[in-house]
Amino acid sequence: MFRNHIKIAWRSLNKQPFFTFLNIFGLTIGMAGGLLISLYIYDELSYDKMFPDAEQIYRLNADIKFGGAENKVAVVPAPMADVLVNDFPQVEATTRFRTIGSTLLKKSGTIRNVKLTGTTYADPSFLDFFGIDLLLGDKATVLKDPNMVVLTKSAAEKFFSIDEAVGQTLIFDSGDTFTVSAVIDDLPRNSLLSDYTLFIAMAGYADAKIPNWGTHNYNTFVKLSPLSESADFEEGLPYIVDTYVLTWAQTVFPGMTKEQFDASGNYIRYSTIPLTDIHLHSHRKGEMNANNSIQNIYILSFIALFLIVLASVNFMNLSTAGSLKRAKEVGIRKTLGSNRSTLIGQFLTESGLISFASLLAALGLTLLLMPYFNDLSNKQLSIPFLEPYFWLTIIVATVILGLLSGSYPAFFLSRFAPIKVLSGSGSSAVGGGKLRNGLVVFQFAISVFLIVATLVVYGQLQFIQQKDLGYKKEQVLILNDVYALGAKSNLLKKK
Amino acid sequence: MITIKDLVKSFRTEEVETLALNKVNLKVEAGEFVAIMGPSGCGKSTLLNIIGMLDNPTEGSYNFASNEVAGLRENQRTQLRKGNLGFVFQSFNLIDELTVFENVELPLIYLKMEKAERREKVMQVLERMKIAHREKHFPHQLSGGQQQRVAIARAVVTKPKLILADEPTGNLDSKNGLQVMNLLTELNQEGTTIVMVTHSEHDSHFAHRVVNLFDGQIVTESQNRAMGAEV
């Protein structure tokens, strides 16, 4: 029976090539759009999950109100990490970063500076903490001494061949010299460390050693023991304020009591956020990386679903609109002994075939569009052809899409009474179907909405491009890192 | 084989109710060849559809081979129809996407018959209808007469107890029409019961009995001396 369904489906589709093309084309566009967006969403949801023990890692946050200003920051004071390890039994390890943006540096013996973006002071523990292996270097000594640095592979390649990188000297623009103690692989693109290429030993950063609870500059991470609850840990954080921060504050404001501090309306509150939530749920000052928002993910998920639903509705409309052509066949089959479920099976086979053809076309289209999409999204996405889960997911999704798209036409077509369609009552035999009218109205409304939205965006772009900025853009040159010229920067200005 | 008692079929629209069949009583014995005649709109196709279990009566009783059909649901009617009834339509009603062989094979597929047995039965009936050489052709590649022979082949391939023919020669020229009537007569002589709706006086002479309908009621019934197969 199934073979017969396939044969009939194939011939029916072949018989109406334009109709088949329209159906496949519509579904292909929807599926390709849905697939691209899904890959994007999957990538966004995968942030920082590659680190071992990622589920046990949390970052410390601080909400600070002082002198009227209120700040929510992703950084805490330098001494916090040691206190956490010493005073909280559930803390297994901590590590800190003190980001400093970009640096200009050169290989010893050369004169040309190279700019490295993503520079940070880091505790030596960060490698073990995040399970990062060394490509070259000795883990026992790495970043242990001041003036030691770790480079990522691509950063190291800007100065040396990788094999000879360890032990080499780099001269910073400030004149300080550093020794390369290790080289690590480039950090995962979908991690909060992705932008970082140069890690300088925290041991050489004097500020990190001062017990100053008043400045918040260190991205600090804790790894909790597997059995501990982050909520329990977080409950203990006010203890730090009471015990350390206020004590320090009293050295700056002698005689100030906790009651006075509280009464002033000022506060410092520490909290945690799971490592794997940072990318989509954290928007604080002092983030290590530009984060995205979970709202965007919800919106994109809605758009992906919307695209697929729209394609599916298009399929239903086309199928039911062409139903007159199939009515006779339904009548004959019923007369010859086919029951409704067999007919439903036949029409679902057809929609399944269209869905799978669309899936193949959508995969091709996705491959074709991927470079442009990557440019647009600033990602390096690819279709994970070798992942069994990918195939499982898209095949299940395609079957569901085929069933959903085909279900209405299948139930609609199989409902035809043979007596009416065979006696040639025409369209009145087939019936109108309020649902079909509803679907057409839905499609039309969406089309109008999209056209209006496109016109609005077009208008905005025109405005941006044509707005008189008061200067000629073509005549303006931006010179980066002029500070490297030091006193000579004024000379450049005069020129 | 068929006993119909006080059969009523009415069609209701928002404004009017039309009585297509009004207290029809009819008996058809096994092996009979009955022609139903009457002017357009008299209810003959409605009666044929009810006999063919494609439609349910509004009132009355329809007994087919000791089974009460009136009131059965569509799926139950389909089950009863399967293998027991064969249909021949005026417009042939072959499935365009299927070859001659596949069209004739279809009722056997619905009976869940094995492939080898299906092939044997289909080829037998195609040979008999002298259309076996066209087994791989599609309906649009055949003449009207050939298409109707395929339709008859499809109707008889399950060896049904009853064949229902709705104007079987209506779309054929006289030569092809005669061939079709001869085929139906042969099948009847082999024991198949046939009920045929026709406008054609000529075709009605092939039947044993002619039932005349008018305004949804049987007005006359007459016995024929069957013409038998002509060449």
Side-chain angles (χ1 to χ4, degrees):
Chain A
M1 189 68 79
F2 183 66
R3 223 179 126 209
N4 188 266
H5 287 171
I6 295 273
K7 187 162 63 185
I8 292 285
W10 178 249
R11 287 184 192 164
S12 298
L13 298 176
N14 253 338
K15 199 180 168 192
Q16 304 174 70
F18 184 66
F19 168 81
T20 305
F21 166 77
L22 275 185
N23 253 338
I24 292 179
F25 182 72
L27 272 184
T28 298
I29 299 286
M31 284 169 123
L35 185 57
L36 281 170
I37 295 174
S38 301
L39 288 172
Y40 177 90
I41 292 171
Y42 180 76
D43 186 70
E44 286 292 303
L45 294 175
S46 72
Y47 263 72
D48 298 313
K49 287 183 177 157
M50 75 296 292
F51 294 123
D53 307 328
E55 297 303 318
Q56 292 164 244
I57 298 175
Y58 296 82
R59 190 194 64 200
L60 270 294
N61 290 330
D63 295 350
I64 306 163
K65 188 177 177 195
F66 200 74
E70 199 171 9
N71 279 302
K72 290 179 183 295
V73 294
V75 282
V76 293
M80 175 81 90
D82 281 346
V83 165
L84 292 174
V85 170
N86 294 331
D87 295 7
F88 288 78
Q90 61 268 61
V91 173
E92 279 189 352
T94 61
T95 197
R96 298 173 302 166
F97 299 95
R98 168 69 169 95
T99 60
I100 53 172
S102 61
T103 46
L104 291 169
L105 62 165
K106 61 192 171 201
K107 180 185 171 184
S108 175
T110 61
I111 54 165
R112 196 186 177 114
N113 272 330
V114 173
K115 184 179 178 181
L116 286 185
T117 55
T119 306
T120 180
Y121 287 99
D123 282 330
S125 59
F126 94 92
L127 293 163
D128 279 339
F129 191 93
F130 287 104
I132 298 168
D133 292 327
L134 301 184
L135 289 179
L136 292 163
D138 179 7
K139 220 166 195 176
T141 59
V142 71
L143 294 184
K144 288 284 191 311
D145 296 325
N147 295 355
M148 277 189 161
V149 294
V150 170
L151 288 169
T152 60
K153 190 177 163 214
S154 57
E157 279 169 343
K158 292 181 178 175
F159 303 98
F160 338 95
S161 76
I162 296 294
D163 294 344
E164 15 175 270
V166 173
Q168 294 274 2
T169 302
L170 287 170
I171 304 168
F172 278 47
D173 190 50
S174 59
D176 297 330
T177 59
F178 289 83
T179 306
V180 178
S181 64
V183 177
I184 57 175
D185 217 338
D186 290 345
L187 290 157
R189 201 179 29 75
N190 50 346
S191 77
L192 87 166
L193 296 176
S194 62
D195 289 349
Y196 293 87
T197 56
L198 175 64
F199 298 86
I200 309 167
M202 195 71 86
Y205 190 54
D207 181 66
K209 296 170 198 161
I210 304 168
N212 178 354
W213 287 89
T215 58
H216 291 65
N217 286 319
Y218 295 81
N219 295 103
T220 302
F221 296 84
V222 293
K223 190 182 285 183
L224 301 182
S225 58
L227 295 175
S228 58
E229 294 287 334
S230 65
D232 293 343
F233 168 69
E234 205 162 298
E235 266 177 29
L237 291 176
Y239 153 84
I240 293 178
V241 179
D242 297 345
T243 312
Y244 295 96
V245 181
L246 280 174
T247 307
W248 173 84
Q250 280 158 357
T251 64
V252 184
F253 306 103
M256 189 186 73
T257 62
K258 182 176 183 320
E259 288 70 30
Q260 285 173 328
F261 180 75
D262 290 341
S264 69
N266 294 325
Y267 57 78
I268 298 177
R269 292 176 193 141
Y270 296 118
S271 60
T272 61
I273 181 168
L275 172 69
T276 50
D277 282 359
I278 291 173
H279 182 65
L280 294 175
H281 297 272
S282 186
H283 307 96
R284 291 171 169 265
K285 288 180 184 167
E287 296 282 355
M288 289 186 74
N289 216 335
N291 290 336
N292 201 342
S293 163
I294 191 70
Q295 311 300 335
N296 291 340
I297 300 304
Y298 292 145
I299 291 168
L300 285 170
S301 304
F302 174 76
I303 291 172
L305 195 68
F306 184 73
L307 275 174
I308 290 171
V309 167
L310 206 61
S312 183
V313 166
N314 183 55
F315 176 89
M316 290 182 195
N317 278 339
L318 283 171
S319 301
T320 47
S323 58
L324 261 182
K325 289 181 181 167
R326 305 302 299 273
K328 188 182 100 173
E329 182 192 333
V330 171
I332 296 168
R333 284 178 180 275
K334 281 193 171 180
T335 307
L336 297 180
S338 172
N339 52 32
R340 209 173 156 202
S341 56
T342 311
L343 282 166
I344 288 172
Q346 186 197 322
F347 289 118
L348 287 181
T349 306
E350 265 178 48
S351 62
L353 266 186
I354 287 184
S355 293
F356 273 95
S358 305
L359 170 66
L360 293 179
L363 284 174
L365 186 63
T366 305
L367 275 178
L368 217 64
L369 294 176
M370 193 63 92
Y372 306 102
F373 187 72
N374 278 337
D375 272 355
L376 187 73
S377 62
N378 197 23
K379 285 191 177 287
Q380 291 167 31
L381 304 175
S382 59
I383 300 179
F385 284 116
L386 298 177
E387 287 284 339
Y389 279 113
F390 168 73
W391 288 109
L392 188 71
T393 310
I394 60 164
I395 287 172
V396 168
T398 305
V399 169
I400 291 172
L401 181 66
L403 287 176
L404 281 179
S405 306
S407 57
Y408 175 59
F411 283 93
F412 176 76
L413 291 168
S414 65
R415 213 179 48 199
F416 293 165
I419 173 182
K420 287 185 181 168
V421 290
L422 293 179
S423 64
S425 309
S427 56
S428 63
V430 172
K434 284 178 186 163
L435 180 58
R436 192 171 81 230
N437 292 339
L439 290 175
V440 172
V441 170
F442 172 72
Q443 252 191 318
F444 185 73
I446 295 302
S447 306
V448 169
F449 170 75
L450 289 177
I451 290 168
V452 170
T454 308
L455 289 175
V456 169
V457 170
Y458 178 76
Q460 286 176 330
L461 283 175
Q462 288 287 94
F463 176 76
I464 290 168
Q465 285 167 356
Q466 290 170 5
K467 170 79 179 161
D468 184 6
L469 299 173
Y471 62 88
K472 290 183 180 172
K473 277 190 286 186
E474 297 77 14
Q475 302 297 317
V476 178
L477 201 63
I478 297 170
L479 293 176
N480 288 320
D481 306 317
V482 175
Y483 73 90
L485 293 172
K488 292 175 188 169
S489 59
N490 277 331
L491 187 64
L492 177 75
K493 207 172 174 182
K494 283 176 191 161
K495 291 270 181 185
Chain B
M1 173 175 280
I2 294 172
T3 308
I4 287 171
K5 279 187 190 162
D6 296 331
L7 197 81
V8 174
K9 179 69 185 177
S10 59
F11 297 102
R12 190 188 293 270
T13 64
E14 281 177 12
E15 289 164 3
V16 288
E17 185 177 355
T18 313
L19 207 57
L21 294 173
N22 187 7
K23 301 271 180 194
V24 171
N25 290 288
L26 179 68
K27 248 187 159 176
V28 179
E29 300 296 339
E32 254 198 300
F33 188 158
V34 177
I36 301 172
M37 295 192 74
S40 293
C42 71
K44 33 184 210 304
S45 288
T46 306
L47 181 59
L48 194 75
N49 287 328
I50 290 173
I51 294 173
M53 301 175 206
L54 298 176
D55 205 358
N56 250 336
T58 312
E59 282 176 33
S61 155
Y62 166 31
N63 192 292
F64 173 80
S66 307
N67 295 290
E68 181 54 47
V69 180
L72 290 184
R73 287 197 305 273
E74 190 182 324
N75 266 354
Q76 293 171 312
R77 281 186 272 138
T78 301
Q79 284 306 316
L80 191 55
R81 197 162 57 222
K82 229 188 303 192
N84 283 322
L85 266 68
F87 287 87
V88 179
F89 299 95
Q90 177 179 351
S91 51
F92 322 132
N93 282 336
L94 299 173
I95 296 178
D96 301 337
E97 286 77 25
L98 297 182
T99 63
V100 165
F101 182 93
E102 289 161 349
N103 263 292
V104 178
E105 187 189 24
L106 208 51
L108 302 178
I109 292 176
Y110 292 134
L111 285 174
K112 298 187 176 10
M113 195 177 280
E114 288 299 314
K115 192 179 175 183
E117 196 182 349
R118 291 202 308 259
R119 169 128 209 116
E120 190 189 328
K121 283 188 183 291
V122 172
M123 288 316 293
Q124 269 177 12
V125 74
L126 288 179
E127 296 284 355
R128 176 162 186 196
M129 299 295 152
K130 299 185 175 56
I131 197 85
H133 61 294
R134 299 278 195 184
E135 64 160 316
K136 288 181 179 159
H137 285 65
F138 287 91
H140 66 89
Q141 296 170 309
L142 305 178
S143 69
Q146 287 171 325
Q147 287 190 50
Q148 195 60 302
R149 269 151 50 203
V150 176
I152 294 173
R154 186 181 62 186
V156 301
V157 71
T158 58
K159 295 201 187 309
K161 294 187 176 91
L162 174 66
I163 287 180
L164 298 164
D166 190 359
E167 305 276 8
T169 63
N171 278 355
L172 300 176
D173 58 33
S174 58
K175 188 182 160 201
N176 279 311
L178 185 61
Q179 278 182 3
V180 165
M181 289 315 299
N182 282 338
L183 273 171
L184 291 176
T185 307
E186 271 178 46
L187 291 167
N188 176 245
Q189 284 167 353
E190 288 163 13
T192 310
T193 310
I194 294 178
V195 176
M196 173 180 74
V197 162
T198 183
H199 272 112
S200 162
E201 282 289 337
H202 174 264
D203 289 354
S204 72
H205 290 125
F206 287 82
H208 300 146
R209 183 154 59 106
V210 178
V211 174
N212 275 295
L213 274 178
F214 188 76
D215 280 352
Q217 288 184 312
I218 294 175
V219 286
T220 58
E221 284 192 50
S222 56
Q223 294 287 333
N224 273 344
R225 191 178 59 80
M227 288 167 78
E230 289 184 7
V231 182

